[in-house]
């Protein structure tokens, strides 16, 4: 698949371990500011909802200048992505070295079902943040966080389709925050989960 900075990219030649989200490397003072901002943002988002909180409010609560906040995170979508980083790394580590069926050692079909369940746990807990990070700009979902990791993992677990990379993108499309958020009011969580598990089984 040709490289395209505005859409999905193939990771077929990249080992899964190399695609995990790396922890940020930064000076001690920058790390302290980052931690203060993320703590303040997480608290404000939890108390008031993501949409109701401004970057100015986050800067004031964190005790940093607005310029520092915007230079570091760009906008609220960048802040949302930074908040999700640690949650993504936990899930990635569980996939790479955790117990089966999410981690290694289980049949591929069981690992795929476990991934769908675990990803939905992560997504539903942070739905507004993920939705903001994925829809900030056209193609944002494919340029942020761990999308390439999730895609590579699912591709490796699919042995039935003639084009596993495409099938992996199709399953991940159904796991997009905007899509899941639109389905939840009508279908409810139980039916969304069941439908996505069924889709994963059919793709195998």
């Amino acid at each position: 698949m040709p490289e395209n900075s505005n859409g999905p990219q193939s990771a077929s030649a990249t080992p899964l371990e190399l695609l995990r989200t790396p922890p940020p490397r930064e000076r001690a003072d920058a790390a302290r500011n980052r931690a203060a901002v993320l703590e303040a943002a997480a608290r404000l988002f939890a108390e008031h909802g993501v949409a109701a909180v401004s970057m100015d409010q986050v800067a004031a609560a964190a005790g940093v200048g607005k310029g520092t906040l915007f230079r570091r995170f760009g906008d609220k979508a960048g802040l949302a992505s930074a908040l999700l980083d640690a949650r993504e790394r936990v899930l990635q580590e569980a996939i790479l070295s955790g117990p089966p069926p999410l981690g290694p050692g289980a049949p591929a079909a069981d690992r795929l079902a476990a991934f769908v369940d675990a990803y939905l746990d992560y997504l539903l807990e942070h739905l507004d943040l993920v939705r903001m990070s994925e829809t900030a700009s056209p193609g944002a979902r494919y340029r942020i966080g761990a999308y390439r990791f999730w895609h590579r993992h699912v591709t490796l677990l699919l042995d039935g389709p003639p084009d596993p990379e495409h099938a992996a993108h199709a399953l991940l499309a159904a796991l997009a925050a905007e899509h899941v958020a639109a389905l939840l009011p009508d279908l409810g969580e139980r039916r969304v989960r069941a439908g996505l598990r069924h889709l994963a089984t059919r793709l195998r």
Side-chain angles (χ1 to χ4, degrees):
M1 183 183 301
E3 292 292 324
N4 181 348
S5 62
N6 292 316
Q9 299 182 13
S10 170
S12 58
T14 307
L16 187 60
E17 291 80 0
L18 298 182
L19 293 175
R20 69 180 133 188
T21 308
R25 297 178 180 179
E26 52 199 352
R27 303 185 317 273
D29 59 335
R32 285 193 297 271
N33 283 342
R34 176 186 174 87
V37 166
L38 294 182
E39 181 181 352
R43 176 170 51 80
L44 290 171
F45 289 161
E47 290 174 357
H48 306 291
V50 177
V53 176
S54 69
M55 292 288 275
D56 287 359
Q57 289 172 304
V58 173
V64 303
K66 288 187 291 184
T68 298
L69 183 62
F70 281 99
R71 281 193 300 273
R72 183 60 190 270
F73 298 99
D75 55 19
K76 200 157 61 169
L79 185 55
S81 295
L83 276 169
L84 294 169
D85 254 5
R87 283 78 165 178
E88 290 174 341
R89 286 197 298 273
V90 170
L91 181 52
Q92 290 168 1
E93 290 302 322
I95 288 168
L96 288 170
S97 56
L102 183 58
D110 293 344
R111 292 198 72 194
L112 185 61
F115 168 74
V116 169
D117 281 337
Y119 188 86
L120 277 170
D121 289 342
Y122 153 78
L123 176 62
L124 294 175
E125 184 177 355
H126 309 292
L127 187 57
D128 287 345
L129 284 176
V130 179
R131 188 178 184 183
M132 175 175 290
S133 70
E134 289 183 354
T135 59
S137 62
R141 185 180 189 219
Y142 309 103
R143 298 191 300 270
I144 60 174
Y147 183 87
R148 293 180 72 229
F149 182 99
W150 314 135
H151 178 259
R152 180 63 174 150
H153 177 56
V154 173
T155 298
L156 291 170
L157 296 177
L158 294 174
D159 57 12
D163 188 344
E165 287 193 39
H166 181 274
H169 283 307
L171 178 59
L172 290 172
L175 286 164
E178 185 81 355
H179 179 69
V180 172
L183 296 185
L184 281 172
D186 289 335
L187 301 183
E189 181 180 338
R190 184 183 62 81
R191 289 177 66 190
V192 168
R193 283 184 179 274
L196 285 165
R197 286 193 208 103
H198 180 67
L199 176 60
T201 301
R202 295 298 296 269
L203 286 173
R204 285 273 310 150

